[in-house]
Amino acid sequence: MTLFSNGFATLEMPEDFEAVATKEEFNDMYLVNTKIPMSIKFSTTPTLVGLPEICDGIEKNVETNDKINLITSDFIVINDVIYYMFVSSFSDGEKEIRRNEFLYVEDDNLYIFEYTYPYADRELDDFYLNVIRSLKIIAPKYIVENGGYRLNKEE
């Protein structure tokens, strides 16, 4: 496995995945594997709320969006840390897409792992968890203060 690092966090990138450049503000890493096909997105965003509030917001959004089918959501422990897991599916008109999301909050930073693939019946396995387990936070990417946020320059 290749190591990803942005100065704030490191994690292992699985074999056969290629990095894709993206201009999304909070996206740290976006990987694709066209053989499976699957994508992995790792993002960091500033936040002033915890996982329970984030969970409530996501579930309210799903209730009002008839294009998203909630499969499961729950709090789980990975590496002695509590994550919020949200598994959903949606249709792109031709095939059903499954998305597994894992969210974690530390030091006013929300870390999000998102796995997207076209297999509605595929179960979560150690592949996803191994990437998450490899996460090492070096320093918070964002400093939240005075009603706003800034990039942490003390990396």
Side-chain angles (χ1 to χ4, degrees), residues 58-119:
I58 289 173
E59 291 179 4
K60 284 178 184 170
N61 183 41
V62 169
E63 289 173 8
T64 61
N65 189 335
D66 60 353
K67 295 180 181 180
I68 299 174
N69 177 34
L70 173 63
I71 296 170
T72 187
S73 68
D74 204 354
F75 293 95
I76 64 169
V77 177
I78 303 172
N79 288 353
D80 297 326
V81 173
I82 297 175
Y83 280 77
Y84 171 61
M85 177 184 69
F86 179 80
V87 180
S88 62
S89 66
F90 57 93
S91 176
D92 69 358
E94 295 180 16
K95 58 185 173 253
E96 189 153 325
I97 307 295
R98 175 130 172 191
R99 182 170 48 213
N100 295 358
E101 296 177 71
F102 298 85
L103 298 90
Y104 167 63
V105 174
E106 180 179 311
D107 295 327
D108 298 329
N109 283 246
L110 170 62
Y111 301 92
I112 306 167
F113 290 90
E114 180 182 305
Y115 303 90
T116 307
Y117 52 95
Y119 307 109

Side-chain angles (χ1 to χ4, degrees), residues 3-22:
L3 192 65
F4 161 83
S5 179
N6 64 0
F8 301 102
T10 63
L11 54 96
E12 294 178 359
M13 299 186 312
E15 291 182 28
D16 298 325
F17 279 79
E18 296 178 25
V20 175
T22 174

